[in-house]
């Protein structure tokens, strides 16, 4: 990437980036709640978008059990969910 020819062009580039960021940032409740902050940290503590938070809550409230370790309904459901996720990732990577 080359440097902008003028300060005005640099400001325009920042505005474009902000416009591009708005929809993405809107998916993250913690960032939406603190719009003046920028979050720079490792992936170990990455903020989660609402879709991930919803999926985790659904899992924890409907299927929370050790996958592949039991024969009761919740464990069976967890095992199925893990296997389906692995298959989706495999198809995505193929």
């Amino acid at each position: 990437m080359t440097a902008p020819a003028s300060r005005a062009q640099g400001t325009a580039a920042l505005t474009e980036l902000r416009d591009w960021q708005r929809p993405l940032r809107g998916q993250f409740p913690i960032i939406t709640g603190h719009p003046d902050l920028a979050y720079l940290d490792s992936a170990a503590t990455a903020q989660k978008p609402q879709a991930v938070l919803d999926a985790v809550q659904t899992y924890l409230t409907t299927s929370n059990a050790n996958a592949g370790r039991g024969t009761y309904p919740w464990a069976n459901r967890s095992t199925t969910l893990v296997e389906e996720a692995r298959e989706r990732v495999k198809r995505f990577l193929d």
Side-chain angles (χ1 to χ4, degrees):
M1 182 172 175
T2 59
S6 70
R7 183 180 179 131
Q9 285 178 326
T11 303
L14 288 175
T15 302
E16 287 177 33
L17 183 60
R18 287 188 200 120
D19 290 344
W20 175 82
Q21 285 179 335
R22 275 191 202 102
L24 183 62
R25 289 173 62 97
Q27 296 179 34
F28 295 81
I30 195 166
I31 294 172
T32 303
H34 303 279
D36 55 326
L37 298 178
Y39 184 80
L40 303 172
D41 205 338
S42 72
T45 54
Q47 298 304 324
K48 298 352 173 236
Q50 189 64 53
V52 171
L53 297 172
D54 292 345
V56 169
Q57 182 173 359
T58 297
Y59 172 77
L60 292 174
T61 58
T62 64
S63 305
N64 189 20
N66 289 326
R69 296 194 141 206
T71 57
Y72 53 99
W74 292 345
N76 293 338
R77 176 73 179 138
S78 291
T79 300
T80 299
L81 291 171
V82 168
E83 290 172 353
E84 288 172 354
R86 285 180 179 156
E87 184 58 33
R88 272 184 260 149
V89 170
K90 179 182 177 281
R91 284 194 312 268
F92 177 77
L93 295 175
D94 282 344

